[in-house]
Amino acid sequence: MTGENDRLLRLLGGEEIAWLVERARRRMEQGKPLIGTVTLTAATPAQRRAVEVLLGRRAGAGTSLSVSLGDVDHIVRSSGVAAGGLAEAVVRLRGPIRDLAGEKAALASAWTRAFARIDALVTARPELAGWRSWLEATGLVRRLAADPEDARALLDRLTAVLDRLPSRGVPLGRLAAETCADAHALDEGRPLATLALSAARALAGLPYAGEGGADARRAAWAAVGVHLDDLSSLVLCLGLPGDDRTPTGRMLSAATAAGEPCVLTLRQLHRHETPLTAGLVRICENPVVIAAAADELGPACPPLVCGGGSPSAAVWRLLDLLASGGATFAYHGDFDWGGIAIATAVNERIGFVPWRYDASSYEAVPSSAPLTGRPRPTPWAPELSKAMTHRGVRVEEELVLADLLADLASR
């Protein structure tokens, strides 16, 4: 065998013929037969002479050099240096051949297994289908995970988090601890936090990538009932009757008597354990409605709560306390698809009657601002979604402020 190896090295082991062996090896790794011609552009004189010695004839002229793999295979076999021909020679010179096609298939299978649990969850929750396609298109998971096994562990933890969303109000650290056994797993900058926040935005009807600021992150988490702490989560209200038995009740009573808006923290609302009684409560989306109502109506303003865009955990807590006290709700928001998503979340949680938030109210307001985003159903007023899709303009709440104030004045 030593003699055969020496002969093989003399035949195909030289530096000037290495390109030919390497081309053959690459074809074998790709599962291709060693047939046809390989070409070397800009061949050196030494490389041309090496091929001529191998073939026993001139190798043409010009700068490019073409060699028939079939000819080389015949030479290797007939010379007796490798009974298996060129394929055997390549293995002996370069070592075992990788099965690139098999490796590619195995890697694809590993990635499929990595996504198995999250894909099962998305199948059960079609509202996440667009987000799942976005994950695939952006390659976000593959950038955050070193390999399929790392991705599988990451996505399994993500599935556990999403199983708890939306929540009725949970601190971020507690959510992380209970789903991942790590209170910091959802801290800003962690891979799981990046994925979970994009999914939270999807559930809230927001752009998956979203804005990168702290306020935007806090709002996205709040939209699915998760708060970063119980002091930064706030709710703005006006005219809510309080009581003289609790700190929060006394704050509300004083603010209502003065006709001033009241800002409550989630901490205060968590410590208020008894229902709030208020009768009919109107809900608006934007703080400008609260400010204008305080200016014009003061103490005469009926109960009014501001959702502040995507409702925070504090907003949800206040609405739950009001609902448990027997309150009913009337809702108004922006006529755009983001506003419809917010209204849908409120309607699903506490129910409401539309407050100038139907098709006729929408069509009555002049506007030329283009409506963008994905259409959504409006179950509280089914014709509204159709009207918005047909008309294609958005109407912000500020445009109907005078009408809203008139309704509040007439109680």
Side-chain angles (χ1 to χ4, degrees), residues 32-389:
K32 297 178 181 179
L34 295 179
I35 59 175
T37 299
V38 293
T39 299
L40 177 66
T41 59
T44 66
Q47 288 171 326
R48 186 175 296 280
R49 285 194 298 272
V51 167
E52 290 176 344
V53 170
L54 174 64
L55 299 178
R57 64 175 184 270
R58 283 182 58 85
T63 58
S64 66
L65 179 60
S66 296
V67 179
S68 166
L69 293 177
D71 289 349
V72 177
D73 182 73
H74 175 73
I75 291 169
V76 171
R77 291 177 188 273
S78 62
S79 67
V81 299
L86 180 56
E88 179 188 330
V90 171
V91 172
R92 285 165 56 185
L93 289 168
R94 294 288 190 268
I97 300 299
R98 294 171 59 191
D99 178 8
L100 294 183
E103 291 177 12
K104 183 178 180 181
L107 183 62
S109 179
W111 277 109
T112 298
R113 291 194 300 274
F115 279 88
R117 284 190 62 191
I118 197 72
D119 281 342
L121 180 139
V122 171
T123 298
R125 301 180 66 175
E127 66 270 25
L128 287 170
W131 166 79
R132 174 65 179 89
S133 298
W134 174 81
L135 279 188
E136 194 70 28
T138 60
L140 180 59
V141 174
R142 296 174 191 248
R143 296 200 306 271
L144 294 173
D147 53 48
E149 281 306 308
D150 187 27
R152 182 174 183 175
L154 180 62
L155 291 171
D156 284 355
R157 291 195 297 273
L158 177 62
T159 302
V161 172
L162 296 185
D163 274 337
R164 295 277 300 274
L165 299 180
S167 166
R168 294 187 71 85
V170 62
L172 185 67
R174 179 177 175 183
L175 176 65
E178 293 178 352
T179 56
C180 307
D182 177 1
H184 298 286
L186 293 171
D187 286 358
E188 174 62 20
R190 299 281 289 267
L192 180 61
T194 299
L195 293 173
L197 187 57
S198 69
R201 291 186 177 110
L203 291 171
L206 302 171
Y208 308 141
E211 300 177 15
D215 289 343
R217 291 194 299 272
R218 182 178 291 110
W221 278 120
V224 291
V226 179
H227 55 275
L228 276 60
D229 59 75
D230 58 4
L231 291 177
S232 62
S233 183
L234 308 172
V235 57
L236 178 64
C237 58
L238 177 65
L240 288 184
D243 58 56
D244 58 2
R245 302 181 306 278
T246 65
T248 299
R250 288 191 288 273
M251 286 184 61
L252 287 172
S253 293
T256 297
E260 289 296 330
C262 183
V263 177
L264 299 174
T265 68
L266 182 61
R267 178 184 177 88
Q268 292 167 320
L269 291 166
H270 273 318
R271 281 158 175 72
H272 186 92
E273 299 179 351
T274 58
L276 291 171
T277 304
L280 174 65
V281 177
R282 296 184 185 271
I283 304 170
C284 61
E285 184 178 338
N286 298 285
V288 67
V289 181
I290 296 273
D295 288 342
E296 295 200 15
L297 303 176
C301 185
L304 180 63
V305 174
C306 177
S310 295
S312 66
V315 172
W316 290 128
R317 174 63 177 169
L318 176 58
L319 294 178
D320 286 344
L321 287 171
L322 290 165
S324 64
T328 57
F329 302 93
Y331 186 91
H332 188 278
D334 290 335
F335 289 103
D336 57 30
W337 297 124
I340 295 300
I342 295 168
T344 298
V346 174
N347 189 47
E348 290 176 349
R349 182 145 177 169
I350 58 171
F352 63 71
V353 295
W355 174 24
R356 295 185 182 269
Y357 205 53
D358 52 24
S360 60
S361 300
Y362 166 72
E363 291 173 336
V365 185
S367 175
S368 59
L371 178 65
T372 60
R374 178 171 58 89
R376 293 174 172 272
T378 50
W380 61 90
E383 296 302 314
L384 174 58
S385 179
K386 298 176 185 177
M388 291 174 63
T389 301

